[in-house]
């Protein structure tokens, strides 16, 4: 049993970075706990990635930038003048797009878990809402949540956090944020201003869809230079019509890859889909990925990994370029390439807590947050920064029901920051992190939960905060309802119906998975149904 963490001073003010689902629900609970909350959002209004924008992202950087600048390159320099507005002439909108790139939302996007499992507490979707709805309705739901709880009044929009630095003056705020606001003030004209604000605590709720990842493949950089308009990341995909009649190569057979392939299928001539030769990871992850390979459209063909993109110098168009596969085959005739290869975790405003990959990388430093970008390091329960828990993160855990799960994390942050729940001491937090990494590893699958992992995490969180509520008289937190659990049990069926058919396909997929069994891999000793507990009891 660990001792309690003691904050140096009471937490009165909290900066929340991001106004997507996790940032919004955290801001509500932090504010209701009596804390002074400021939300910083680089978009013009709340909603996070669910704000649809027709614009596509700026041209890809190939190879992918290192994690410390993968999400964006801070404009702050040593010569930057604070509090002095200046005008930027931006006739093509490039500066604005670099400041706040378009969101990774394609027009056909919808939820792939039951809608009611994505609802915030005491704020259900309207009666009669379908289990699967468009991103436009999800965005509308978030706007209604903002209005209901008056969250706009807490926000500074068109504002990006450029830098966060720790302060060390006793009795003073612990964190200083350098902020940059960029607003359109005329046709092709922007206004820019930098300033600083200080806070006792910071909650980072920027999600993990900001830094597109392109794998390092031989020859790809040359293709990117020759045909930049023909190579995109799924972040920049919007509608299928521009691809009409083409042969499209999609790299990645995961959720986004399948979604986009299904969307493209009626419009294109042929789809090639490149997947990993070996699927590794927790059992639940393997089951999910193998199931997705059964949902390829009829005009799609699965291919093994790419070995190289051959020298394009002599090719007049991309369709004449040659791609070599790991089995020795070559592919030609490609008109467009879409990388559905995921994202990296990246916090450029915390550059001092990054150590980009390279010969001098210090991977054992207990202060670091980001090294490879595959996960966020040194966090207690995927939320609290172990060395200094006045810094917290939301929305990192993957394969959950998102909104509702984020809310439980936000409640935990609000309870801890307001003194209504306690964290274990440093040794206890380190112990919990080590136990978690012993099962899930210190890499790509650190934040993976899955159905049973999510339920366990929420159950532990509720038991933790309610145990402390008995001591201080705080209102108990309710866990998952029977209705929520019943809806959650339908996730696999909903996904199968969305991508591959009805209950007959669902049953056959289950039978096939049972017959195949999990593949062996470095973390097969665990199952997504048996996550290590990362909660250390506090005395």
């Amino acid at each position: 049993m660990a001792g309690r963490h003691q904050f140096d001073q009471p937490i009165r003010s909290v900066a929340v970075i991001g106004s997507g689902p996790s940032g919004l629900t955290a801001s509500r609970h932090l504010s209701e706990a009596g804390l002074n909350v400021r939300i910083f959002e680089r978009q013009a209004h709340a909603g996070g990635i669910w704000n649809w924008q027709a614009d596509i992202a700026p041209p890809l950087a190939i190879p992918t930038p290192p994690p410390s600048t993968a999400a964006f390159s801070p404009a702050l320099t040593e010569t930057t003048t604070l509090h002095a507005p200046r005008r930027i002439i931006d006739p093509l909108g490039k500066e604005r797009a670099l400041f706040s790139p378009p969101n990774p939302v394609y027009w056909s996007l919808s939820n792939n878990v039951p809608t009611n499992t994505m609802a915030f507490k005491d704020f259900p979707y309207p009666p009669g809402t379908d289990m699967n709805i468009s991103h436009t309705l999800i965005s509308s739901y978030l706007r209604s949540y903002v209005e209901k709880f008056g969250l706009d009044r807490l926000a500074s929009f068109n504002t990006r956090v450029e830098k966060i630095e720790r302060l060390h003056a006793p009795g003073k705020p612990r964190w200083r944020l350098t902020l940059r606001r960029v607003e359109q003030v005329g046709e092709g004209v922007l206004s820019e201003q930098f300033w600083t604000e200080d806070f006792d605590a910071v909650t980072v709720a920027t999600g993990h869809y900001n830094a597109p990842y392109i794998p390092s493949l031989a020859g790809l950089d040359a293709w990117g230079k020759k045909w930049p308009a023909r190579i995109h990341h799924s972040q920049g995909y919007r509608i299928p019509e521009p691809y009409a009649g083409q042969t499209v190569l999609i790299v990645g057979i995961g959720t986004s890859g399948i979604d986009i392939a299904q969307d493209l299928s009626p419009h294109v001539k042929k789809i090639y889909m490149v997947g990993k030769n070996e699927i590794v990871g927790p059992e639940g992850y393997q089951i999910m990925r193998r199931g997705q390979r059964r949902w390829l459209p009829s005009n799609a063909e699965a291919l093994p990994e790419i070995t190289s993109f051959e020298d394009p110098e002599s090719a007049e168009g991309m369709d004449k370029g040659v791609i070599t596969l790991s089995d020795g085959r070559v592919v030609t005739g490609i008109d467009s390439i879409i990388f559905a290869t995921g994202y990296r975790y990246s916090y450029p405003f915390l550059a001092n807590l990054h150590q980009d990959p390279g010969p001098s990388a210090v991977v054992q430093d207990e202060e670091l947050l980001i090294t490879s970008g595959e996960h966020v390091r040194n966090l207690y329960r995927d939320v609290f920064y172990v060395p200094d828990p006045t810094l917290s993160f939301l929305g990192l855990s993957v394969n959950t029901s998102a909104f509702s799960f984020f809310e439980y994390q936000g409640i935990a942050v609000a309870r801890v920051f307001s003194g209504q729940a306690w964290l274990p001491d440093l040794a206890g937090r380190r112990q919990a992190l080590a136990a978690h990494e012993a099962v899930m590893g210190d890499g790509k699958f650190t934040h993976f939960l899955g159905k049973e992992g999510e339920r366990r995490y929420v159950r532990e969180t509720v038991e933790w905060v309610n145990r402390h509520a008995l001591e201080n008289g705080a209102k108990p937190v309710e866990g998952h309802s029977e209705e929520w659990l019943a809806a959650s049990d339908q996730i696999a069926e909903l996904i199968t119906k969305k991508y591959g058919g009805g209950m007959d396909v669902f049953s056959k997929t289950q039978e096939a998975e049972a017959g195949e069994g999990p593949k062996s891999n470095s973390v097969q000793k665990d199952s997504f149904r048996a996550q290590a507990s990362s909660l250390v009891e506090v005395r």
Side-chain angles (χ1 to χ4, degrees), residues 4-298:
R4 290 181 178 178
H5 173 79
Q6 298 290 331
F7 289 110
D8 294 339
Q9 60 195 46
I11 293 174
R12 298 183 176 87
S13 61
V14 183
V16 176
I17 306 174
S19 69
S22 61
L24 290 174
T25 186
S27 297
R28 171 201 168 181
H29 290 289
L30 286 164
S31 182
E32 290 180 350
L35 300 171
N36 296 320
V37 178
R38 282 273 278 161
I39 304 170
F40 298 106
E41 169 59 59
R42 64 182 179 178
Q43 298 184 72
H45 51 271
I49 64 169
W50 294 99
N51 291 328
W52 157 262
Q53 294 162 284
D55 297 338
I56 64 172
L60 287 173
I62 301 174
T64 299
S68 62
T69 56
F72 66 89
S73 293
L76 182 68
T77 69
E78 293 181 359
T79 61
T80 297
T81 302
L82 301 180
H83 309 292
R86 77 179 185 101
R87 292 205 164 195
I88 301 173
I89 305 302
D90 188 32
L92 300 179
K94 291 182 178 180
E95 285 293 329
R96 178 66 196 181
L98 288 172
F99 174 78
S100 179
N103 294 313
V105 176
Y106 32 94
W107 186 248
S108 64
L109 182 67
S110 61
N111 54 306
N112 56 9
V113 298
T115 305
N116 51 351
T117 68
M118 291 177 63
F120 295 125
K121 299 175 78 65
D122 63 45
F123 196 77
Y125 283 82
T129 300
D130 290 338
M131 288 179 64
N132 180 256
I133 60 175
S134 164
H135 64 87
T136 58
L137 295 179
I138 296 173
S139 178
S140 177
Y141 172 80
L142 291 172
R143 288 196 300 272
S144 296
Y145 188 82
V146 170
E147 293 172 4
K148 168 73 174 178
F149 296 102
L151 300 177
D152 267 353
R153 63 182 172 78
L154 307 177
S156 175
F157 294 112
N158 299 301
T159 302
R160 190 174 76 186
V161 178
E162 297 286 297
K163 183 179 181 180
I164 300 178
E165 52 192 322
R166 274 187 275 191
L167 306 175
H168 301 284
K172 300 291 185 180
R174 193 165 185 83
W175 301 94
R176 173 161 295 164
L177 277 60
T178 302
L179 305 155
R180 180 188 181 213
R181 179 181 290 129
V182 173
E183 297 179 288
Q184 186 165 339
V185 294
E187 189 68 29
V189 181
L190 305 175
S191 173
E192 175 193 62
Q193 185 174 12
F194 290 85
W195 76 101
T196 64
E197 294 187 29
D198 296 346
F199 296 89
D200 298 321
V202 175
T203 295
V204 180
T206 54
H208 52 269
Y209 298 108
N210 297 310
Y213 172 66
I214 304 293
S216 179
L217 297 168
L220 178 58
D221 54 344
W223 281 50
K225 290 175 183 175
K226 186 158 187 176
W227 301 300
R230 292 283 183 172
I231 302 177
H232 295 95
H233 188 274
S234 58
Q235 183 195 44
Y237 177 77
R238 294 293 177 268
I239 56 177
E241 284 77 9
Y243 300 87
Q246 294 187 10
T247 295
V248 180
L249 175 70
I250 298 177
V251 183
I253 310 180
T255 305
S256 295
I258 292 295
D259 249 9
I260 292 171
Q262 296 271 6
D263 199 34
L264 286 172
S265 181
H267 302 268
V268 301
K269 181 169 60 178
K270 175 77 174 180
I271 302 173
Y272 289 111
M273 300 195 70
V274 174
K276 290 283 189 182
N277 292 349
E278 181 183 10
I279 301 174
V280 299
E283 180 184 341
Y285 176 85
Q286 292 187 56
I287 290 173
M288 176 179 66
R289 288 291 183 246
R290 291 200 302 274
Q292 287 170 330
R293 295 190 180 202
R294 295 188 171 91
W295 300 331
L296 272 63
S298 58

Side-chain angles (χ1 to χ4, degrees), residues 519-532:
K519 302 290 189 294
S520 63
N521 64 85
S522 60
V523 291
Q524 192 51 52
K525 62 184 177 181
D526 86 282
S527 161
F528 80 119
R529 300 179 187 278
Q531 304 295 318

Side-chain angles (χ1 to χ4, degrees), residues 223 227 311-312 314-323 331-335:
W223 281 50
W227 301 300
D311 189 349
S314 61
E316 294 180 6
M318 180 182 281
D319 61 327
K320 299 298 189 294
V322 176
I323 300 171
V331 176
T332 61
I334 302 298
D335 298 301

Side-chain angles (χ1 to χ4, degrees), residues 284-357:
Y285 176 85
Q286 292 187 56
I287 290 173
M288 176 179 66
R289 288 291 183 246
R290 291 200 302 274
Q292 287 170 330
R293 295 190 180 202
R294 295 188 171 91
W295 300 331
L296 272 63
S298 58
N299 59 341
E301 177 183 349
L303 299 177
E305 293 178 15
I306 294 171
T307 300
S308 61
F309 290 80
E310 304 306 328
D311 189 349
E313 185 175 351
S314 61
E316 294 180 6
M318 180 182 281
D319 61 327
K320 299 298 189 294
V322 176
I323 300 171
T324 301
L325 306 176
S326 61
D327 62 1
R329 284 184 291 166
V330 298
V331 176
T332 61
I334 302 298
D335 298 301
S336 292
I337 300 174
I338 300 172
F339 281 90
T341 44
Y343 298 80
R344 286 292 186 251
Y345 294 94
S346 172
Y347 304 109
F349 43 76
L350 287 165
N352 62 314
L353 298 180
H354 282 65
Q355 175 63 66
D356 290 332

